[in-house]
């Protein structure tokens, strides 16, 4: 199956455009509490899943927070500073049920393969953290940081590495940093997900390993990740949606006085409201289907073709460096306040 994702809010996209009443009905029937708000350019999605929601979604019960800024780019340091402030704010929120003090011990794990750029956020963040103020040379260790590599490099399960360190260090909290997979190309490098449910390393790219969670270690585990790759065929669906949107907008514009004044081709955006029904005589009924239904159609058409192809932006090295630094400085600031 392509269109795999580590982002829970992509699993419940249909909720976003429903009325408040429909959201309440969904919550009662599936055990999902969904809240969405905006702070400047950042869209904040908060989802709480209980036992019923876990069965419905196939995702562990707990809290999931995503921070999405579609305007952020690697050439704009100010946008990253604003996103970092939001990250620190929601670090505090997702840990509000954990009583951390100045003597609490924190284990920070950077998952991923440092030699593969889109998978290097975790190890790179650990590098930054090891040169931060959290490093303590006085022997009174509060924070331990480690990048265990991946099973393909070490021949050893990453979860077992973490368990061994956890048993020796006895932390009060484990924080795991990792690169994720998305199913929407717009979300690549534009989202931070925080969850208190732990993580299955490699699950987004179909290489799921043993989980790192409170159930395994008996210690609260917070997983923090940024989507760095998307299934290749997902791009087909996104491209087709853009083409459909563009053609429908051109059809609607045809005959309007404003179109006669245009001196350059109209550039359509997916944000504007377009009636795709105008294309039904050309493409058939499927063109009016919701985006999610179109994705399912593409899944059926392309099953088995390029199913192992994952795509990452060409500026991946810059994105990785920015996010690794954001995670390290955000964690440093947050932990210093404890």
């Amino acid at each position: 199956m392509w269109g795999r994702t580590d982002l829970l809010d992509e699993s419940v996209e249909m909720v976003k455009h429903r009325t408040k009443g429909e959201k309440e009905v969904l919550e009662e029937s599936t055990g999902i509490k969904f809240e969405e708000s905006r702070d400047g350019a950042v869209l904040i999605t908060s989802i709480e899943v209980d036992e019923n929601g876990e069965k419905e979604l196939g995702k562990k019960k707990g809290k999931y927070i995503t921070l999405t800024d579609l305007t952020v780019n690697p050439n704009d340091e100010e946008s990253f500073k604003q996103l970092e402030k939001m990250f620190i704010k929601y670090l505090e929120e997702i840990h509000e049920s954990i009583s951390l003090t100045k003597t609490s011990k924190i284990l920070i794990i950077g998952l991923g393969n440092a030699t593969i750029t889109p998978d290097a956020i975790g190890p790179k963040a650990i590098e930054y953290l090891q040169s931060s103020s959290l490093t303590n040379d006085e022997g009174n260790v509060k924070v331990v940081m480690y990048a265990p590599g991946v099973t393909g490099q070490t021949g050893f399960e990453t979860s077992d590495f973490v368990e061994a360190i956890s048993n020796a260090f006895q932390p009060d909290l484990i924080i795991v940093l990792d690169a994720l997979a998305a199913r929407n190309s717009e979300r690549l490098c534009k989202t931070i997900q925080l969850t208190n449910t732990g993580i299955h390393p490699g699950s987004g790219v179909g290489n799921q390993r043993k989980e790192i969670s409170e159930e395994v270690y008996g210690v609260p585990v917070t997983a923090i990740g940024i989507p760095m790759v998307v299934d290749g065929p997902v791009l087909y669906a996104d491209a087709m949606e853009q083409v459909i949107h563009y053609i429908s907008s051109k059809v609607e514009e045809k005959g309007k006085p404003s179109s006669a004044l245009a001196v350059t081709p109209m550039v359509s955006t997916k944000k504007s409201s377009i009636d795709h029904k105008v294309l039904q005589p050309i493409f058939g009924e499927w063109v009016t289907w919701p985006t999610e239904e179109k994705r399912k159609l593409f899944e059926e058409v392309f099953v088995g073709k390029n199913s192992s192809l994952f795509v990452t932006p060409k500026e991946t090295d810059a994105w990785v460096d920015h996010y690794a630094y954001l995670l390290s400085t955000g964690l440093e600031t947050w932990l210093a306040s404890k």
Side-chain angles (χ1 to χ4, degrees):
M1 176 181 176
W2 60 273
R4 290 171 288 227
T5 180
D6 291 306
L7 302 176
L8 180 63
D9 64 337
E10 289 188 331
S11 300
V12 290
E13 283 180 314
M14 70 291 295
V15 182
K16 293 184 178 181
H17 305 293
R18 297 187 178 188
T19 65
K20 180 179 179 181
E22 287 174 323
K23 288 180 182 179
E24 291 173 351
V25 170
L26 183 73
E27 180 180 342
E28 291 174 2
S29 61
T30 63
I32 304 166
K33 183 178 180 181
F34 182 96
E35 294 181 1
E36 194 174 68
S37 61
R38 184 173 289 277
D39 190 327
V42 180
L43 178 67
I44 303 102
T45 304
S46 178
I47 303 172
E48 291 190 43
V49 179
D50 64 15
E51 290 83 356
N52 293 329
E54 182 174 4
K55 295 176 183 177
E56 179 75 17
L57 295 174
K59 294 285 188 178
K60 293 181 64 174
K61 67 176 181 178
K63 190 166 188 175
Y64 300 78
I65 299 173
T66 58
L67 311 174
T68 300
D69 184 353
L70 297 180
T71 69
V72 70
N73 71 79
N75 298 316
D76 183 3
E77 291 189 9
E78 188 58 35
S79 61
F80 273 95
K81 289 179 181 178
Q82 294 302 315
L83 191 55
E84 182 183 329
K85 290 180 181 178
M86 300 297 295
F87 172 59
I88 296 169
K89 175 181 177 180
Y90 286 95
L91 265 177
E92 183 65 30
E93 179 175 312
I94 205 161
H95 292 107
E96 59 188 2
S97 63
I98 303 175
S99 300
L100 297 175
T101 67
K102 291 190 178 296
T103 59
S104 297
K105 296 192 292 185
I106 315 295
L107 173 59
I108 305 177
I109 300 294
L111 297 180
N113 189 334
T115 65
I116 299 177
T117 305
D119 196 34
I121 283 181
K124 186 71 175 178
I126 295 299
E127 283 186 28
Y128 280 124
L129 283 166
Q130 288 173 339
S131 61
S132 72
S133 63
L134 295 178
T135 303
N136 191 327
D137 296 324
E138 299 176 0
N140 183 24
V141 178
K142 174 183 176 180
V143 181
V144 167
M145 307 154 231
Y146 184 60
V150 295
T151 302
Q153 293 174 308
T154 65
F156 205 64
E157 279 285 352
T158 302
S159 178
D160 293 338
F161 268 123
V162 179
E163 184 174 15
I165 299 171
S166 178
N167 289 339
F169 181 50
Q170 295 292 304
D172 298 291
L173 171 68
I174 299 174
I175 297 176
V176 181
L177 313 176
D178 198 10
L180 307 179
R183 68 179 307 197
N184 183 340
S185 57
E186 287 189 340
R187 303 289 292 278
L188 280 178
C189 308
K190 303 295 178 76
T191 295
I192 302 174
Q193 176 175 267
L194 304 92
T195 177
N196 57 12
T197 63
I199 191 171
H200 276 97
S203 60
V205 294
N207 185 30
Q208 183 166 297
R209 315 303 302 183
K210 290 173 62 177
E211 75 173 40
I212 299 172
S213 67
E214 183 172 4
E215 288 78 5
V216 174
Y217 307 132
V219 180
V221 175
T222 300
I224 302 168
I226 293 95
M228 296 300 300
V229 297
V230 66
D231 254 330
V234 166
L235 299 180
Y236 305 160
D238 287 348
M240 179 58 74
E241 189 72 16
Q242 289 179 316
V243 169
I244 290 171
H245 188 88
Y246 179 78
I247 295 175
S248 61
S249 61
K250 291 288 282 186
V251 171
E252 284 193 348
E253 281 291 312
K254 188 177 181 180
K256 291 184 179 180
S258 57
S259 65
L261 300 176
V263 294
T264 59
M266 181 186 65
V267 178
S268 175
T269 68
K270 293 170 69 177
K271 303 301 182 185
S272 57
S273 178
I274 296 295
D275 182 7
H276 288 174
K277 290 182 179 180
V278 298
L279 295 184
Q280 189 170 348
I282 304 172
F283 294 103
E285 183 181 351
W286 74 272
V287 79
T288 65
W289 295 357
T291 300
E292 190 63 26
E293 292 300 315
K294 292 196 190 84
R295 286 183 183 276
K296 290 180 180 178
L297 175 63
F298 274 85
E299 181 176 346
E300 294 175 8
V301 172
F302 290 106
V303 65
K305 300 179 180 178
N306 295 326
S307 59
S308 62
L309 177 65
F310 284 87
V311 181
T312 192
K314 64 180 181 179
E315 311 93 346
T316 301
D317 53 347
W319 284 113
V320 166
D321 191 65
H322 276 295
Y323 275 113
Y325 185 75
L326 182 154
L327 294 178
S328 64
T329 54
L331 285 167
E332 180 182 4
T333 301
W334 177 68
L335 289 172
S337 68
K338 299 300 170 188

